[in-house]
Amino acid sequence: LAETINLDEKKATEEESLKLQTWADLPVELLELILCHLTLEDNVRASAVCRRWHKVAVAVRVVNQSPWLMYFPKYGSLYEFYDPAERKTYSLELPELQGSRACYTKDGWLLLYRPRNHGVFFFNPFNRHMIKLPRFELTYQMVAFSDAPTSDLCVVFTIKHISPTVVAISTCRPGDSEWTTVNHQNRLPFVSSIWNKMVFCSGMFYCLSLTGWLGVYDPLLHAWSVLHVPPPRCPENFFAKNWWKGKFMAEHDGDILVIYTCNTETPIIFKLDHSEMVWEEMQTLNGVTLFASFLSSHSRTELPGAMRNVVYFSKVRFFGKRCISYSVDDRRYYPRKECHDWGEQDPFENIWIEPPRDASLN
């Protein structure tokens, strides 16, 4: 009888304890699972419940969308898009792009080039809008543009090496009847090639040369200069096979970021210090996510917690189920044992592109 009474008392105590538990006592893992499925508006409401919920809600809050990795097929017109956030692959038939190669992306627009007839045009694969530019030979140089081609501010920029001290800069705007080309003198060594990297930042085009020198072009003043900034420091064994393919440059909130990778080294990330005019090695990304590809790279903030402080590279493994990434916090690649020889990859086979809000290509 005493044993029965003790069992009843224990059961009553447990039931009373359960009654006293609240939603705030949910395990963190379960809270994350629930809150990550909420809309931004509901996530903000949930964050006001208590301090614990606020911490979890902010950690999983998604404000921005991740870019998608767009793959260009060797044959045919079926293009694949990989979403690293959902680890899903979508397909689109885009016959308009046959015979062309990608040059650059921004705001969901592609800038493309047809080598056969020197055709240059913008194309949005999600609404299939096309905007043509005057024909221009873009065989041996990289190209970038400042804004979406639907904007009056849009300018297309390319640079070509003429001699050790002269570069030819060509620009064009949507609606122009021809490209404008002007030769500029170089005071510092600057080699223009297909391996250069370009970004548009704070009204300027920044161009990282093959040898690490940084040139700047002001499209309003039509002024070109090579900055007195020594190239980013590299490890002794950085200059290995195909090292030039493992360099990437992105812009974030007015900062210029450069990523150097190597077969036997973890990535090194530099930020340009405009005040001291030096490259500063970064030990943290402060929540920023970088998406690096040969043609153009992007940055994002406020992505899901697991995607922050991470560099995503333009390689997908495991039958399209996983994108190779590097965690700055963990100081390691995911997956760990993947080979990172950029020489194995065709630099023109893919590019990161910004999808439209709530995009679905099912």
Side-chain angles (χ1 to χ4, degrees):
L1 181 61
E3 184 177 350
T4 302
I5 292 174
N6 288 335
L7 288 174
D8 290 341
E9 289 178 348
K10 183 179 179 181
K11 184 178 180 181
T13 302
E14 290 176 350
E15 290 177 351
E16 186 65 25
S17 177
L18 288 172
K19 290 179 181 179
L20 293 175
Q21 287 184 345
T22 66
W23 283 92
D25 297 317
L26 285 174
V28 172
E29 294 79 7
L30 188 55
L31 266 178
E32 289 178 345
L33 185 62
I34 295 172
L35 297 182
C36 73
H37 292 288
L38 298 182
T39 63
L40 176 60
E41 184 178 2
D42 289 337
N43 178 290
V44 173
R45 289 197 183 106
S47 68
V49 171
C50 61
R51 291 183 179 179
R52 190 162 172 269
W53 277 45
H54 180 271
K55 183 178 180 180
V56 175
V58 170
V60 302
R61 183 175 296 166
V62 178
V63 176
N64 286 332
Q65 266 187 306
S66 161
W68 289 1
L69 192 59
M70 180 180 180
Y71 276 87
F72 282 68
K74 291 184 179 180
Y75 309 101
S77 58
L78 185 64
Y79 293 76
E80 291 189 337
F81 297 80
Y82 175 76
D83 178 358
E86 299 291 335
R87 295 188 181 181
K88 291 182 179 180
T89 300
Y90 306 94
S91 298
L92 273 180
E93 283 282 352
L94 300 171
E96 301 96 324
L97 303 188
Q98 281 191 309
S100 65
R101 66 171 173 85
C103 298
Y104 201 77
T105 61
K106 194 180 184 73
D107 297 333
W109 285 86
L110 289 160
L111 180 62
L112 301 112
Y113 175 64
R114 282 198 174 95
R116 182 175 54 83
N117 60 6
H118 305 314
V120 186
F121 62 101
F122 290 100
F123 186 77
N124 187 318
F126 304 107
N127 59 25
R128 304 179 89 110
H129 290 171
M130 180 183 293
I131 299 176
K132 293 184 178 181
L133 294 175
R135 296 179 189 275
F136 194 75
E137 185 173 354
L138 296 172
T139 308
Y140 300 110
Q141 67 261 44
M142 298 296 285
V143 194
F145 59 95
S146 61
D147 301 270
T150 51
S151 167
D152 294 336
L153 301 176
C154 179
V155 56
V156 184
F157 163 83
T158 185
I159 180 170
K160 187 175 182 179
H161 192 73
I162 301 297
S163 73
T165 59
V166 178
V167 292
I169 291 178
S170 301
T171 57
C172 186
R173 297 176 182 272
D176 286 354
S177 58
E178 62 181 10
W179 289 69
T180 300
T181 300
V182 178
N183 289 351
H184 294 263
Q185 293 286 330
N186 279 330
R187 294 184 179 180
L188 289 173
F190 185 91
V191 179
S192 178
S193 76
I194 196 68
W195 307 109
N196 289 359
K197 307 298 175 185
M198 293 186 183
V199 296
F200 183 75
C201 176
S202 302
M204 306 283 191
F205 286 101
Y206 288 80
C207 183
L208 184 71
S209 75
L210 179 67
T211 53
W213 290 93
L214 191 64
V216 182
Y217 179 72
D218 185 334
L220 293 179
L221 300 178
H222 309 289
W224 164 260
S225 62
V226 180
L227 300 183
H228 291 263
V229 181
R233 178 189 59 81
C234 303
E236 292 180 1
N237 60 343
F238 178 81
F239 294 95
K241 180 183 177 183
N242 298 311
W243 62 271
W244 53 85
K245 292 186 179 181
K247 294 168 58 177
F248 310 93
M249 184 165 67
E251 179 273 338
H252 177 71
D253 198 23
D255 287 323
I256 304 297
L257 307 179
V258 170
I259 308 164
Y260 277 16
T261 67
C262 187
N263 246 4
T264 58
E265 293 287 336
T266 56
I268 305 175
I269 305 172
F270 298 95
K271 180 175 71 173
L272 180 63
D273 185 332
H274 288 273
S275 59
E276 299 294 332
M277 296 303 282
V278 295
W279 290 103
E280 175 186 280
E281 186 173 341
M282 300 180 68
Q283 302 301 324
T284 177
L285 289 177
N286 296 315
V288 175
T289 306
L290 299 178
F291 298 86
S293 66
F294 176 80
L295 294 168
S296 63
S297 301
H298 306 263
S299 67
R300 290 290 185 276
T301 56
E302 303 299 337
L303 291 180
M307 297 184 72
R308 299 177 188 180
N309 299 313
V310 172
V311 182
Y312 284 86
F313 294 100
S314 54
K315 288 186 177 182
V316 177
R317 290 291 185 264
F318 301 122
F319 304 100
K321 297 298 184 182
R322 187 161 192 174
C323 197
I324 289 181
S325 62
Y326 177 79
S327 170
V328 177
D329 292 338
D330 299 341
R331 301 290 173 184
R332 56 157 288 193
Y333 279 100
Y334 288 90
R336 187 189 296 274
K337 295 184 179 180
E338 284 294 313
C339 176
H340 308 290
D341 183 0
W342 297 102
E344 296 178 352
Q345 183 173 347
D346 178 0
F348 297 101
E349 76 175 6
N350 56 39
I351 193 169
W352 291 104
I353 185 170
E354 180 181 342
R357 281 284 177 184
D358 302 319
S360 177
L361 304 182
N362 292 326

